[in-house]
Amino acid sequence: MSNAIALPVLSAGDSIERYIQSVNTVPLLSPEEETELATRYHRDNDLEAARRLVLSHLRVVVSIARGYSGYGLPQSDLIQEGNIGLMKAVKRFEPDRGVRLFSFAVHWIKAEIHEYILRNWRLVRIATTKAQRKLFFNLRSMKTGFSALTHAQAKEIADDLGVKPEEVLEMETRMSGQDVALMADDNDDEGYAPIDWLADSHDEPTAALERRANDRLQSEGLREALESLDDRSRRIIETRWLADEGESKTLHDLAAEYNVSAERIRQIESKALQKMKLALLPAPV
């Protein structure tokens, strides 16, 4: 869709509440208005008509994006990706099919958000080789306590997993997001730490739920999600999304391997990703 269509832009620093209030002020379209605008866009390339179609459905994107808040990704980014899917839907929408744009757009919005999540999964961003993935899955369980690893501890873990101590320390830093210690050094009588200014919200319910969801997603969650799949589905996901660079397989490669169509592989992949998504959702408390 042309860049001439001006849409509300939600950046990471903006207030999501303010954005939601803004999109909720856009009036909904009647079926007749929707058909007229879609016809004008496809028949006359009327970009103003397309803009009105998109604006009237931005609230739908917000609603869908909220369903993916458990993946540790910024809500603003999820909304923006969903907006891209909405614009793709408007471009392909055919009003004479007798289907409302809302129903048609849901698929495109979710598809764009799914693609964004896959591109930004913590595993894909942090662990790019087989050895690093092994380290990623095991580092949390092999650590004792919450303090940073010493060089001796890092070397012991490295020896067990067949990697370099430097890789262990780097992975720990990347997984922790370079967290700053809350507590001051016991030997530093004059030092201050963030704990001195922060209230103790460790047991606050929202924070506890967020920690639980993030820990599950970043450590054992993905491994358990893969283990929930049958052998064929797991191989498709691993070779399509988790293989080392240059070793991934296409739909057609896997279709030839299993003697089925590429479309059948795509269906299996889609079903497997949906099952993994459900497995990754935090368990009820």
Side-chain angles (χ1 to χ4, degrees):
M1 190 170 293
S2 171
N3 291 331
I5 300 177
L7 297 174
V9 176
L10 177 61
S11 62
D14 290 339
S15 166
I16 292 181
E17 289 75 17
R18 189 181 303 114
Y19 174 85
I20 294 174
Q21 290 175 0
S22 174
V23 301
N24 283 342
T25 62
V26 181
L28 297 173
L29 299 174
S30 67
E32 294 76 18
E33 290 174 324
E34 183 176 287
T35 299
E36 178 192 356
L37 290 171
T39 301
R40 282 167 46 191
Y41 172 57
H42 288 284
R43 183 187 61 200
D44 307 323
N45 195 30
D46 186 337
L47 296 183
E48 174 60 23
R51 188 182 73 87
R52 288 184 58 190
L53 287 170
V54 172
L55 287 175
S56 66
H57 287 78
L58 290 177
R59 67 183 71 194
V60 177
V61 176
V62 172
S63 177
I64 294 174
R66 281 174 166 170
Y68 296 91
S69 59
Y71 287 89
L73 298 172
Q75 190 73 13
S76 58
D77 289 350
L78 294 173
I79 292 174
Q80 287 293 74
E81 294 296 322
N83 287 346
I84 294 174
L86 172 59
M87 288 187 282
K88 289 182 177 180
V90 168
K91 184 176 181 179
R92 294 166 173 80
F93 179 60
E94 298 178 11
D96 56 354
R97 293 291 184 93
V99 177
R100 292 298 301 271
L101 176 57
F102 169 86
S103 301
F104 181 76
V106 167
H107 164 77
W108 292 96
I109 295 168
K110 288 185 175 181
E112 208 67 29
I113 293 177
H114 288 177
E115 179 64 24
Y116 173 73
I117 291 174
L118 287 173
R119 291 198 309 267
N120 290 275
W121 253 355
R122 297 284 291 182
L123 176 61
V124 177
R125 295 175 62 189
I126 292 177
T128 56
T129 68
K130 291 179 180 178
Q132 287 176 328
R133 284 198 288 272
K134 183 178 180 182
L135 174 60
F136 174 81
F137 282 127
N138 291 277
L139 182 56
R140 284 182 179 272
S141 60
M142 297 182 74
K143 281 186 62 176
T144 56
F146 298 99
S147 58
L149 291 172
T150 65
H151 284 281
Q153 292 171 328
K155 185 179 186 307
E156 182 179 352
I157 293 175
D159 291 341
D160 287 342
L161 299 179
V163 296
K164 298 177 181 179
E166 293 80 8
E167 291 179 301
V168 175
L169 294 173
E170 180 185 4
M171 181 66 72
E172 180 194 29
T173 300
R174 294 166 72 183
M175 289 177 66
S176 64
Q178 299 180 341
D179 292 335
V180 177
L182 285 176
M183 304 297 294
D185 192 322
D186 291 336
N187 298 322
D188 187 0
D189 295 332
E190 298 181 357
Y192 291 92
I195 194 67
D196 298 318
W197 291 278
L198 296 177
D200 183 9
S201 59
H202 184 272
D203 294 322
E204 195 273 323
T206 302
L209 286 173
E210 184 176 354
R211 285 196 307 275
R212 180 171 180 175
N214 287 338
D215 286 345
R216 176 174 173 78
L217 180 62
Q218 294 176 11
S219 55
E220 65 181 25
L222 190 54
R223 174 176 53 80
E224 292 179 355
L226 284 169
E227 290 177 351
S228 71
L229 303 177
D230 58 78
D231 292 342
R232 182 172 63 173
S233 298
R234 182 164 58 250
R235 172 163 171 74
I236 290 173
I237 295 299
E238 289 177 341
T239 56
R240 287 272 291 155
W241 298 104
L242 302 179
D244 292 337
E245 185 176 356
E247 296 183 6
S248 62
K249 292 184 178 294
T250 66
L251 292 174
H252 292 284
D253 291 336
L254 292 165
E257 178 178 333
Y258 287 104
N259 195 29
V260 296
S261 66
E263 173 61 20
R264 177 56 181 156
I265 295 296
R266 187 197 65 77
Q267 292 172 356
I268 296 173
E269 177 186 64
S270 177
K271 185 176 181 181
L273 289 173
Q274 180 66 19
K275 185 174 182 179
M276 291 179 68
K277 172 191 166 186
L278 294 175
L280 285 167
L281 291 175
V285 178

